[in-house]
Amino acid sequence: MNILLVGSGGREHALAWKIKQSPLLTRLVCAPGNPGMAMLAETRDIKTTEVARLVQLAQEIAADLVVIGPEVAIEAGLADALEAAAISCFGPSAAAGRLESSKAFTKAFCDRHHLPTSSYSICDDAPAAKAALAHFEPPYVVKADGLAAGKGVVIATDRAAAEAAIDDAFSGNFGAAGARVVIEEFLEGEIGSLFALCDGKHSMLFGWAQDHKRAFDGDEGPNTGGMGTYSPAPVFTYDLVEQTRKRLVEPAFKGIAADGAPYRGVLFVELMATRHGPKLIEFNARFGDPECQVLMLRLESDLVPYLVACATGRLHEMPEPVWRDDDAVCVVLATEGYPGPAKAGSVIGGLDQDFGEGVVVFHAGTSAGPDGAVLAGAGRALNVCAAGTDLAEARERAYGAVARIDWPQGFHRTDIGWRALAR
Ligand code: AMP
Ligand code: GLY
């Protein structure tokens, strides 16, 4: 098979790494890819939102399947354009992708189809949003509507901080994503990321993990796109998984199909495990980043048949995926300053070495510099991942590798997996 993989982050590097192991693969092309992916596959310099050029590339390489990594390509309608060109695609249409691209849409969807989530208020201007705070208790959850790469959320401990976050959102800091603000009830509990595949009709759970959204150790600091993950995560008891399937996953796929936009691809359910069961924090129309990295390390089954089955409506013919008994950990290395402004272009050294058993390093935001140097972007740059027989071993291996990377301008959390170890 010829496969075109769209994206350039750690998630896509992990997907490329796993796809590359498939005996079904003939040729893998990544657009735009990154220096890590370039070591595994061909890359083409086309942006993830250049829909027409991506369709053209898929035709050029006679792609049997296009795999869409990031949400921006989904929102740009890449799946729709590929369908019009009769090319099989893993990734939902823009209409189905609204489960991620608009928080306001998702909240109304949850009301319509009775999915458990926090109560909320959608506000079109700052005075309305500030007035809405009166209906909520602290801590206040203030979110920019639309896609903000996981950074458009502020949890404010008091009213003044909430009002500042509202002003910030409407000041244009999140671009178009801040034109509307959602105020939400704060959910108490432990967060979890659960994944499910759907082919438009049939669905199947596809793993779970826990992410660490705050920038610094001890879950301090601002929200990020995710600073590290581990899987399996003990928060996902049998009960929580089954309740999530029944109350969130199945109603979501049924609801979006009933709304006229059958879902093809992976749905990422970010949930809070509350005293009253799972409640939706948000849906994403793609794999989590960096959740995907630990899932790929643990996935024993060939990934490609699952991607194809989603694209072609044959998921019911697939067996449940097989996961390795191993634990896997991913530690994100980001440029100092992230998720705020950070300086791109620092040199990451020490990548050219064998990091030892179980370790895989994915590139998340890097570029190629002169003389084969690897340069960091302004955000999350590397994902140092490791598998081990238990979480402690996986962590030891991952942090051992982190210590051997030479990058003074980078930072990382040192406590990935702490909730599992604290149990
Ligand atoms: P989001 O970008 O919506 O995934 O939110 C980022 C992070 O903020 C989540 O991973 C949660 O840790 C936290 N969060 C978001 N919404 C809520 C909520 N309603 N209650 C408590 N925490 C939340
Ligand atoms: N790690 C969370 C996300 O991909 O949004």
Side-chain angles (χ1 to χ4, degrees):
M1 287 183 66
N2 297 332
I3 297 180
L4 171 60
L5 172 61
V6 176
S8 64
R11 167 182 50 216
E12 289 80 19
H13 189 177
L15 290 171
W17 175 82
K18 184 66 187 168
I19 289 169
K20 191 69 191 187
Q21 295 166 33
S22 173
L24 300 171
L25 184 73
T26 314
R27 183 178 180 194
L28 177 61
V29 179
C30 305
N34 64 37
M37 291 159 84
M39 294 191 278
L40 294 174
E42 297 168 56
T43 59
R44 297 292 170 83
D45 192 16
I46 302 176
K47 285 199 200 67
T48 54
T49 49
E50 289 183 284
V51 170
R53 289 187 67 199
L54 289 168
V55 172
Q56 200 180 11
L57 173 60
Q59 284 164 334
E60 214 176 279
I61 67 162
D64 301 294
L65 178 71
V66 178
V67 179
I68 306 181
E71 61 271 26
V72 285
I74 294 162
E75 195 185 33
L78 180 55
D80 307 82
L82 288 164
E83 189 179 359
I87 299 167
S88 289
C89 165
F90 176 85
S93 65
R98 276 184 303 168
L99 280 177
E100 166 162 12
S101 55
S102 166
K103 292 188 200 297
F105 173 85
T106 307
K107 286 297 192 186
F109 178 89
C110 287
D111 286 349
R112 221 163 43 242
H113 299 292
H114 313 292
L115 275 63
T117 186
S118 52
S119 59
Y120 67 100
S121 177
I122 296 169
C123 310
D124 287 312
D125 56 52
K130 287 176 188 174
L133 292 176
H135 306 291
F136 296 87
E137 312 257 317
Y140 302 98
V141 182
V142 179
K143 300 187 174 184
D145 193 28
L147 301 176
K151 298 184 285 187
V153 177
V154 174
I155 315 273
T157 46
D158 59 42
R159 195 99 170 219
E163 294 195 352
I166 289 167
D167 286 331
D168 201 35
F170 284 110
S171 75
N173 272 356
F174 299 111
R180 258 201 299 202
V181 157
V182 184
I183 312 284
E184 261 183 32
E185 167 200 7
F186 180 80
L187 298 172
E188 198 103 39
E190 193 172 332
I191 62 160
S193 305
L194 179 137
F195 300 86
L197 301 179
C198 188
D199 65 3
K201 203 165 165 193
H202 318 96
S203 66
M204 177 186 287
L205 297 187
F206 207 69
W208 38 87
Q210 189 170 62
D211 189 9
H212 300 61
K213 299 285 263 185
R214 301 294 193 105
F216 310 130
D217 281 5
D219 292 333
E220 302 278 347
N223 268 308
T224 68
M227 291 302 293
T229 44
Y230 66 104
S231 174
V235 63
F236 283 105
T237 57
Y238 177 82
D239 225 36
L240 181 67
V241 170
E242 280 312 304
Q243 285 186 37
T244 305
R245 180 211 299 274
K246 285 195 198 108
R247 295 189 200 172
L248 288 168
V249 172
E250 286 168 2
F253 287 141
K254 217 182 258 172
I256 198 83
D259 289 352
Y263 197 97
R264 275 180 217 98
V266 60
L267 184 70
F268 164 5
V269 181
E270 187 186 344
L271 60 89
M272 192 68 85
T274 74
R275 279 191 299 138
H276 308 291
K279 288 200 177 185
L280 182 72
I281 294 181
E282 65 173 24
F283 285 125
N284 296 296
R286 48 168 176 86
F287 277 113
D289 188 350
E291 285 91 337
C292 183
Q293 290 81 320
V294 286
L295 293 188
M296 292 306 112
L297 252 67
R298 290 194 54 231
L299 183 61
E300 176 83 45
S301 311
D302 185 356
L303 174 65
V304 171
Y306 288 92
L307 303 177
V308 172
C310 285
T312 56
R314 309 181 80 103
L315 198 55
H316 58 297
E317 296 173 6
M318 295 297 295
E320 295 282 319
V322 179
W323 303 97
R324 293 200 180 99
D325 228 3
D326 286 351
D327 284 55
V329 168
C330 168
V331 179
V332 171
L333 274 57
T335 300
E336 202 66 67
Y338 174 79
K343 202 162 170 277
S346 55
V347 177
I348 305 176
L351 289 175
D352 257 347
Q353 60 177 302
D354 178 4
F355 287 106
E357 198 182 339
V359 177
V360 191
V361 177
F362 296 119
H363 288 229
T366 64
S367 61
D371 302 324
V374 173
L375 306 180
R380 297 184 291 176
L382 287 181
N383 303 143
V384 179
C385 303
T389 52
D390 57 18
L391 180 60
E393 185 179 66
R395 265 171 57 116
E396 215 176 279
R397 289 176 172 177
Y399 281 114
V402 169
R404 287 156 63 184
I405 292 172
D406 178 20
W407 186 31
Q409 295 85 354
F411 79 100
H412 62 272
R413 281 183 60 160
T414 64
D415 62 348
I416 302 305
W418 72 267
R419 282 180 190 275
L421 295 174
R423 273 171 189 247

